[in-house]
Amino acid sequence: MRNLILKRFIQTTASESPQFSYGLNWGLAGKGVIVKDKAFQNLKSSELQKKGATVTESLSGLPVHVRGTLRRASAISKAQYSRLLKQVTAHLSSISNIFVHDGAIGSSPKSDAKVRVISDSPSAVLRLSNVLWETSTRAVSHDSCPLTIYAATSISAAVEDVIGLGAQGNNGFIAADVERSSLILCGKAFSDINGTKEALATLSEPVISARGGLPLSARLLVSGDSVVLIFAPENVIRSFADLLVSADAGVVLSHEGVLPLFKTKMSSGENLYKMPSAVILATSDSSGSIPTVSKLSPGQAAYHFLAGYQNGEFVPGYANGPSCIDALDLAKALHSKLKEHQIPTFLVNVGEEGKSVAGKDILKMVGLENIAPFELKRGGDLKGKYSGFLSGKFQEIPEEFSF
């Protein structure tokens, strides 16, 4: 195998050109992809289009398999993923033209996760380049733990049978392995941006967390010069559509500020990179026990974040998708940041019976002066429900956390 790599490497890099780079070819070889003819790196959109890239139809709901998470069992085993990766790298090594794009998840150089895309299709690179934040090629090649996306659009559909995964549909599938820090997009899976983002968000969590960032399933709202961090279910988020920096549930909170995980049209301005002026936790309680709006201490905020209460159901950390980080660890880190930066935090009940609360109404509520501290409006067993759920799911909840 080593002789094959050396032979192919010497053949493809005998004369340097914009399509040939010793460093790039060695880097790709380290990821299992041997450049057969040409490797085009970090082409602009116009250049990708000249190479045949087109804007493809968006897809959704493709199978997503992520290994190494806490909340969701994966349908793909370690052995199956290894076989799949070998199939994909062999396929990419057989293609004449390889397209490479370097980017990042999160835009802070101190806490982002570097990403390298390797694909047989300029169309896949074009679409994925609109998701990732820009970063330098050197930053990716010198990073200690970059993520790798393999987009094999022309691989045989029979690959799912070869690895024993079973039928995955006509448009392909998404597979990721946290341990390998890699994501595989087979067939047209690169067009399922929501599924791709979900997998990438999970893969990036350990890297971002290790670098001091806090990956959260939240959104950012812009109101004037203020940036507000909001945790809320999807039906509530829709009422904020015109105020959202990004519709995606994913941000990184660090000591420098807060920004979305993925690039959006609105999120390019540097003025957004600041600490949030407020944090909103949206809960839903139709029993009348929780007030419309109330102020939380950092300990209360961490407790209600950990519970993620939504009208009888608990969604710890407000996250429905797969995750590599325990919700209790996220709550502890959030508590620390709220306390350190003294960020005002509010609990808003969006599920009061007979009331419909719109996004702008919520912003007006939390902008009022003299908002009362949180206190139940009436008795009942709601506090007991919280305690029963959290004590049963998590061990050793910090004493600072309180209802």
Side-chain angles (χ1 to χ4, degrees), residues 221 239-240 242-243 280 292-293 348-350 355-368 371:
L221 305 176
S239 69
F240 287 99
D242 58 333
L243 301 173
I280 297 174
T292 303
V293 60
V348 177
N349 184 5
V350 297
K355 292 185 179 181
S356 177
V357 183
K360 291 183 179 179
D361 295 332
I362 292 177
L363 288 179
K364 289 179 181 177
M365 289 178 192
V366 300
L368 297 174
I371 295 177

Side-chain angles (χ1 to χ4, degrees), residues 201-383:
T202 305
L203 285 179
S204 67
E205 285 180 345
V207 178
I208 291 172
S209 180
R211 293 175 175 173
L214 181 56
L216 297 167
S217 183
R219 271 91 166 185
L220 292 181
L221 305 176
V222 177
S223 179
D225 294 330
S226 299
V227 176
V228 178
L229 186 63
I230 180 168
F231 298 88
E234 294 299 324
N235 62 317
V236 175
I237 288 299
R238 285 193 288 270
S239 69
F240 287 99
D242 58 333
L243 301 173
L244 291 174
V245 173
S246 170
D248 301 318
V251 302
V252 179
L253 178 62
S254 68
H255 289 293
E256 292 80 29
V258 61
L259 273 179
L261 284 175
F262 302 106
K263 183 172 68 174
T264 72
K265 293 180 180 179
M266 283 187 65
S267 58
S268 59
E270 294 182 1
N271 64 313
L272 293 178
Y273 195 32
K274 61 180 74 173
M275 294 303 296
S277 58
V279 173
I280 297 174
L281 300 174
T283 187
S284 182
D285 170 52
S286 59
S287 71
S289 298
I290 295 179
T292 303
V293 60
S294 51
K295 193 168 185 178
L296 299 174
S297 68
Q300 288 176 315
Y303 191 84
H304 285 273
F305 164 82
L306 185 60
Y309 182 73
Q310 303 299 326
N311 224 9
E313 301 292 332
F314 292 94
V315 184
Y318 286 78
N320 287 307
S323 178
C324 302
I325 305 176
D326 186 71
L328 181 56
D329 291 331
L330 288 176
K332 291 176 182 177
L334 179 62
H335 173 261
S336 177
K337 282 189 166 48
L338 294 177
K339 191 173 182 179
E340 177 184 357
H341 297 283
Q342 299 182 340
I343 304 172
T345 306
F346 305 92
L347 184 69
V348 177
N349 184 5
V350 297
E352 286 189 281
E353 189 173 359
K355 292 185 179 181
S356 177
V357 183
K360 291 183 179 179
D361 295 332
I362 292 177
L363 288 179
K364 289 179 181 177
M365 289 178 192
V366 300
L368 297 174
E369 295 183 4
N370 301 320
I371 295 177
F374 173 72
E375 187 176 308
L376 288 178
K377 291 167 61 178
R378 62 175 68 171
D381 61 348
L382 188 57
K383 184 175 180 180

Side-chain angles (χ1 to χ4, degrees), residues 12-13 15-21 38-39:
T12 57
T13 60
S15 59
E16 285 273 345
S17 76
Q19 291 81 43
F20 302 113
S21 162
K38 300 176 182 177

Side-chain angles (χ1 to χ4, degrees), residues 59-66 72 74-76 84 160 165-176 183-186 188-190 192 194-196 198-199:
L59 299 176
S60 63
L62 268 63
V64 179
H65 309 292
V66 183
R72 187 184 298 174
S74 174
I76 188 169
L84 174 61
E160 57 201 34
L165 195 57
Q168 298 292 300
N170 298 324
N171 291 320
F173 61 93
I174 299 168
L183 170 67
I184 296 173
L185 305 174
C186 288
K188 299 178 182 178
F190 70 90
D192 186 348
N194 288 336
T196 299
E198 177 184 296

Side-chain angles (χ1 to χ4, degrees), residues 122-201:
S123 297
V125 169
L126 179 63
R127 184 172 283 265
L128 293 170
S129 66
N130 292 323
V131 170
L132 301 172
W133 291 90
E134 295 180 4
T135 193
S136 69
T137 297
R138 180 179 176 83
V140 175
S141 60
H142 286 70
D143 193 74
S144 59
C145 46
L147 309 182
T148 305
I149 302 176
Y150 301 91
T153 66
S154 58
I155 195 169
S156 170
V159 67
E160 57 201 34
D161 295 322
V162 173
I163 66 172
L165 195 57
Q168 298 292 300
N170 298 324
N171 291 320
F173 61 93
I174 299 168
D177 190 335
V178 175
E179 184 180 344
R180 291 178 179 269
S181 298
S182 65
L183 170 67
I184 296 173
L185 305 174
C186 288
K188 299 178 182 178
F190 70 90
S191 293
D192 186 348
I193 289 299
N194 288 336
T196 299
K197 286 180 177 179
E198 177 184 296
L200 282 175

Side-chain angles (χ1 to χ4, degrees), residues 10-158:
I10 292 171
Q11 289 175 343
T12 57
T13 60
S15 59
E16 285 273 345
S17 76
Q19 291 81 43
F20 302 113
S21 162
Y22 288 103
L24 176 61
N25 283 14
W26 273 120
L28 294 177
K31 297 299 181 181
V33 177
I34 313 304
V35 177
K36 181 179 182 180
D37 188 5
K38 300 176 182 177
F40 300 93
Q41 185 176 25
N42 295 331
L43 298 184
K44 298 178 181 178
S45 296
S46 59
E47 294 172 324
L48 287 169
Q49 290 169 348
K50 288 179 182 179
K51 297 294 181 183
T54 59
V55 179
T56 57
E57 179 184 0
S58 295
L59 299 176
S60 63
L62 268 63
V64 179
H65 309 292
V66 183
R67 284 198 65 256
T69 66
L70 298 175
R71 297 193 189 119
R72 187 184 298 174
S74 174
I76 188 169
S77 67
K78 183 176 183 178
Q80 286 175 319
Y81 191 90
S82 296
R83 291 199 296 271
L84 174 61
L85 185 58
K86 288 182 179 179
Q87 292 284 327
V88 168
T89 53
H91 165 76
L92 293 173
S93 298
S94 71
I95 302 298
S96 295
N97 293 337
I98 292 296
F99 297 87
V100 179
H101 179 80
D102 296 321
I105 300 173
S107 65
S108 168
K110 294 182 179 180
S111 60
D112 63 3
K114 305 297 190 298
V115 182
R116 172 160 286 175
V117 181
I118 308 171
S119 179
D120 57 4
S121 166
S123 297
V125 169
L126 179 63
R127 184 172 283 265
L128 293 170
S129 66
N130 292 323
V131 170
L132 301 172
W133 291 90
E134 295 180 4
T135 193
S136 69
T137 297
R138 180 179 176 83
V140 175
S141 60
H142 286 70
D143 193 74
S144 59
C145 46
L147 309 182
T148 305
I149 302 176
Y150 301 91
T153 66
S154 58
I155 195 169
S156 170

